[in-house]
């Protein structure tokens, strides 16, 4: 490689290097409350003046003490300054056994100093068995009311 080619590739940034990434949006791609596999859609923007690489980790919990699952998908190639990138990260909820309100915390570890950016979202999850159980309970309640009303006559 000649000296001229290397000088064309070399880029110098004036001033201090800043690493500043922000979440633009975070959401679940599917709204089905019973689907055991979903995807988390993330939109990230780099406000800094240098290319940044990072790793996502997603933790799912029912309360502050419980971490039911943890995923660490790779960030991929570097996010250039001023760039916006969309990520679709698979989320496997097979470890979640009970219906209810759950919280997913997305943490992005990025840059040379491994800064951490956190965001949290909540979602409902109802396994298919819980929907069937709810149907049986409603049918039993309606049958009991019908039986009681019939007996009153």
């Amino acid at each position: 490689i000649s000296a001229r080619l290397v000088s064309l590739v070399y880029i110098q940034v004036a001033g201090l290097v800043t690493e500043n990434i922000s979440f633009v949006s975070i959401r679940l791609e599917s709204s089905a409350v019973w689907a055991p596999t979903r995807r988390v859609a993330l939109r990230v923007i780099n406000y800094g003046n240098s290319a940044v690489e990072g790793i996502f980790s997603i933790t799912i919990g029912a309360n502050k003490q419980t971490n039911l699952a943890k995923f660490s998908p790779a960030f991929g190639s570097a996010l250039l300054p001023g760039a916006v990138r969309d990520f679709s990260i698979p989320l496997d909820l097979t470890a979640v056994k009970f219906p209810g309100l759950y919280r997913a915390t997305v943490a992005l570890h990025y840059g040379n100093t491994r800064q951490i950016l956190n965001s949290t979202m909540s979602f409902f999850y109802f396994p298919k068995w819980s929907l069937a159980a709810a149907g049986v309970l409603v049918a039993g309640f309606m049958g009991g009311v019908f039986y009681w009303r019939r007996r009153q006559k």
Side-chain angles (χ1 to χ4, degrees):
I1 298 175
S2 69
R4 282 190 229 167
L5 182 60
V6 171
S7 65
L8 290 175
V9 174
Y10 182 74
I11 298 173
Q12 188 172 11
V13 177
L16 296 174
V17 173
T18 58
E19 296 176 337
N20 185 7
I21 287 185
S22 178
F23 288 124
V24 176
S25 66
I26 174 173
R27 63 181 175 82
L28 285 176
E29 286 184 351
S30 86
S31 60
V33 294
W34 57 83
T37 56
R38 297 184 185 180
R39 297 187 82 76
V40 176
L42 298 170
R43 178 168 276 194
V44 179
I45 188 168
N46 184 357
Y47 289 114
N49 62 3
S50 66
V52 177
E53 292 186 5
I55 296 175
F56 290 107
S57 68
I58 301 175
T59 305
I60 302 169
N63 55 39
K64 292 181 181 178
Q65 292 80 24
T66 307
N67 289 328
L68 298 173
K70 187 169 185 174
F71 309 98
S72 295
F75 192 79
S77 60
L79 185 61
L80 299 175
V84 177
R85 186 175 298 168
D86 293 324
F87 296 95
S88 180
I89 301 170
L91 188 61
D92 186 15
L93 298 174
T94 55
V96 178
K97 300 294 182 199
F98 298 105
L101 179 66
Y102 289 92
R103 187 180 59 255
T105 302
V106 179
L108 171 60
H109 304 269
Y110 68 93
N112 292 329
T113 58
R114 286 295 173 220
Q115 300 175 48
I116 301 173
L117 177 65
N118 289 316
S119 184
T120 303
M121 68 175 189
S122 297
F123 61 93
F124 285 101
Y125 176 64
F126 295 102
K128 289 184 180 180
W129 67 263
S130 66
L131 296 174
V136 168
L137 285 175
V138 168
F141 177 75
M142 296 299 286
V145 168
F146 179 72
Y147 177 74
W148 180 72
R149 294 283 291 172
R150 192 168 183 186
R151 233 177 134 193
Q152 289 288 330
K153 292 182 181 182

